[in-house]
Structure formats: C-alpha cells, structure tokens
Amino acid sequence: TSGTPAPDFSLQDDAGKTVTLSKLRGKNVVLVFYPGDDTPGCTKQLCEFRDGWKDVKARGVQVFGVNPQNAKAHQNFREKFKFPFPLLVDSGQKVATLYHANGIIVKRTVYLIGPDGKVRFAKRGKPEPAEVLAQAN
C-alpha cells in the first residue's frame, strides 16, 4: 500500500552480488516482480524499462527484476535482451511473499519505493514505465 514502509530484503542478483533494499535509501527503487525469464509478457515488460532507460537514469531510479529462477537463467535472459539492470534471485518467492506478489507463479506486480523507504506506487499487471516513474521525484 502507498505510504507504508517497504519490507527490507537481501537477495543475490544474476552476477552473485547481494542487493539489500535498506542500503538503497536515498534512491528511488523499482521492483518488477515477474513470472518467468524469457516469456513473452515478462520480456515485453522488462524491455519497456530498458527502452526507457534514459528517463529511468534521468530520474535517478534503480530498477530490479525479481523472480525465483536461478542466476544462470537470469544471466541468459539479461544478456539476450541487454537489460541495463540486475535480475534478483528470489528463491522460494520469499520476497514476493513480503510484497504480496507470490502464488503458484509470481504475480506480475510493480512497486516504486521512495528514497524514504516507503512504497509510493504498487500495481498489478504491466503498468507503463512512465506511470511508475512519475512517482519518482
């Protein structure tokens, strides 16, 4: 819900680096929970953020794709589509559960967390990047 503190987490990215949400305070962070690497809807959604990267960078936003697949699957997916942002490995959908995006498959859900660590935007489905980024200021 907007205005509530975003649940903290630490996850490994596709390169094996640990990403901890609380260490990103002071920045706007977008989390894109998505069901599967290299599936049509997920590819299109993440490509939209890639294609609008200039705007993402201009607003100082950090973007992360989040799903339970392993680092190797994430690496292949990221290289294939040249994503300029990391993909986080959420084994067992632990973080998806904290963000109410868990299920038999991950529910496609996008969050924007403000520099204060509070949720500014949360929406199921595939909101346009511009709609998400409008919450970053």
Side-chain angles (χ1 to χ4, degrees):
T1 323
S2 257
T4 60
D8 196 18
F9 63 84
S10 286
L11 288 177
Q12 300 272 302
D13 70 9
D14 53 281
K17 289 207 298 260
T18 301
V19 173
T20 302
L21 183 64
S22 55
K23 290 187 178 161
L24 298 171
R25 282 283 157 82
K27 297 182 164 84
N28 286 290
V29 177
V30 169
L31 301 177
V32 180
F33 290 92
Y34 66 100
D37 289 337
D38 218 355
T39 56
C42 303
T43 299
K44 186 173 189 306
Q45 181 169 31
L46 294 172
C47 283
E48 285 176 358
F49 278 99
R50 177 200 67 195
D51 296 346
W53 198 243
K54 214 169 112 193
D55 194 25
V56 171
K57 294 310 290 173
R59 290 174 180 269
V61 174
Q62 303 233 298
V63 175
F64 298 95
V66 188
N67 112 345
Q69 287 176 267
N70 66 39
K72 189 74 189 131
H74 281 354
Q75 277 171 352
N76 294 341
F77 184 38
R78 189 175 172 191
E79 282 165 20
K80 182 174 176 182
F81 292 99
K82 312 256 182 291
F83 296 134
F85 48 84
L87 302 177
L88 305 181
V89 178
D90 183 19
S91 322
Q93 296 189 40
K94 287 182 193 70
V95 175
T97 301
L98 294 175
Y99 284 84
H100 310 290
N102 59 311
I104 293 169
I105 60 165
V106 175
K107 294 181 180 81
R108 189 185 308 286
T109 315
V110 179
Y111 281 87
L112 185 133
I113 298 151
D116 57 359
K118 292 199 165 107
V119 174
R120 288 197 178 171
F121 179 92
K123 193 167 186 181
R124 277 262 196 273
K126 199 171 87 46
E128 292 297 314
E131 183 187 350
V132 181
L133 296 175
Q135 308 306 311
N137 44 25

